[in-house]
Amino acid sequence: KINTQEVFFCYRIVGEDDGGKQFTPEEYEEYKRKVIPIRLLNRLFVSWRSPTGVDCKLVGPETLCFCTHRYKQHKTDFEVIPQRRPISLPCRVPGCLCRAYLYVPLSGAQPIRCRCKHLADQHSAAPGLICNACSKCSGFHSCFTCACGQPAHAHDTVVETKQERLAQGKPVGRDVPYAAMGGLTGFSSLAEGYLRLDDSGIGAPSVEVLDASVTATDHPFLRAFQASSNSPPETLRDGGTSSQVPSLRKPEEDDMAFFERRYQERVSL
């Protein structure tokens, strides 16, 4: 019987390195002995960073490069981390001219356009990013604006080590043996920078924001919660009997416990 979980983890470790041909058990063990220590010690974190310091996009294995190939198809494992900065991650696809991974954002599901009016994938992946569809373009330059409010051309694709990232106070997650993890450290890494509340995004809201009173301009969920918290206990009658249903959250209850208790109380009515 095939252990699907084991197959999944094997795929995450090997990635594209088997060339589409399944390793033998001996080859797989040898591969793990070689690459796992490298990934645990020399992992590189890749992000698309705003001038404000926010990582607007944390690159993962499937994230596309300007050359239209995915991050996992680039060189991501180094026995010795290069001293030269920026670190270049060339594409490993045969015939590709890409010499360094370069993230390019999407407008919805479509590639963004250069100021020459042609799409990003109509430009060469060779250094200079010259347009293949016109002769007037001096290199890809987009006026697309990121959700953070900064133009795309003001962002940089940043490749950095764990130590460099820690020095900036940005999260690095756990050391994992998986291939081409890039900047992913958890589920929140899939969100855009302006939505992430960790130090790679906009950061956690201040105590003043968290303790502020709910106003008419706040989300309807917050207003409804505030209304139920401020209302007196309800007196319900069923068949001549009355029962008190407390609507206030108990001091020891977290949010989920409170909502679950209220739900169960209403279901039982």
Side-chain angles (χ1 to χ4, degrees), residues 36 90 136 196:
I36 288 181
K136 298 180 180 180
R196 289 195 309 275

Side-chain angles (χ1 to χ4, degrees), residues 27-159:
E27 290 173 332
Y28 179 56
E29 292 302 321
E30 177 62 26
Y31 176 83
K32 288 196 297 182
R33 280 194 293 270
K34 178 181 178 181
V35 303
I36 288 181
I38 294 175
R39 290 175 183 164
L40 295 179
L41 295 175
N42 295 339
R43 175 180 171 180
L44 294 175
F45 294 80
V46 184
S47 60
W48 191 58
R49 186 165 296 168
S50 164
T52 61
V54 174
D55 291 335
C56 293
K57 174 68 177 180
L58 293 171
V59 172
E62 302 294 332
T63 308
L64 292 175
C65 173
F66 190 89
C67 69
T68 71
H69 297 121
R70 302 184 187 280
Y71 176 66
K72 66 182 181 181
Q73 295 173 289
H74 291 67
K75 179 176 176 59
T76 59
D77 294 327
F78 290 85
E79 293 186 16
V80 178
I81 295 178
Q83 296 298 317
R84 185 178 179 180
R85 296 294 185 273
I87 300 174
S88 297
L89 307 178
C91 186
R92 298 182 297 169
V93 176
C96 184
L97 300 175
C98 175
R99 296 292 175 264
Y101 181 87
L102 179 65
Y103 175 75
V104 58
L106 298 175
S107 178
Q110 300 297 321
I112 61 175
R113 292 184 182 273
C114 173
R115 57 188 170 186
C116 72
K117 308 302 181 184
H118 294 111
L119 298 172
D121 56 9
Q122 293 177 285
H123 290 67
S124 171
L129 310 180
I130 301 299
C131 184
N132 294 324
C134 71
S135 58
K136 298 180 180 180
C137 180
S138 58
F140 185 82
H141 183 97
S142 177
C143 297
F144 175 80
T145 300
C146 174
C148 72
Q150 298 290 331
H153 60 77
H155 290 64
D156 292 308
T157 300
V158 178
V159 182

Side-chain angles (χ1 to χ4, degrees), residues 111-246:
I112 61 175
R113 292 184 182 273
C114 173
R115 57 188 170 186
C116 72
K117 308 302 181 184
H118 294 111
L119 298 172
D121 56 9
Q122 293 177 285
H123 290 67
S124 171
L129 310 180
I130 301 299
C131 184
N132 294 324
C134 71
S135 58
K136 298 180 180 180
C137 180
S138 58
F140 185 82
H141 183 97
S142 177
C143 297
F144 175 80
T145 300
C146 174
C148 72
Q150 298 290 331
H153 60 77
H155 290 64
D156 292 308
T157 300
V158 178
V159 182
E160 55 195 350
T161 65
K162 179 179 180 179
Q163 291 71 26
E164 291 169 342
R165 197 162 174 81
L166 285 173
Q168 301 172 68
K170 295 185 180 293
V172 296
R174 296 182 298 173
D175 295 329
V176 292
Y178 308 129
M181 288 300 289
L184 301 186
T185 58
F187 284 112
S188 64
S189 301
L190 303 177
E192 294 189 45
Y194 77 98
L195 295 174
R196 289 195 309 275
L197 300 182
D198 60 20
D199 291 331
S200 69
I202 62 172
S206 64
V207 176
E208 291 76 13
V209 172
L210 295 175
D211 291 341
S213 58
V214 178
T215 66
T217 60
D218 284 311
H219 193 279
F221 177 84
L222 292 176
R223 298 203 303 270
F225 177 73
Q226 180 76 2
S228 65
S229 298
N230 293 336
S231 61
E234 303 171 9
T235 301
L236 301 175
R237 298 184 179 276
D238 184 11
T241 61
S242 63
S243 60
Q244 294 289 328
V245 181

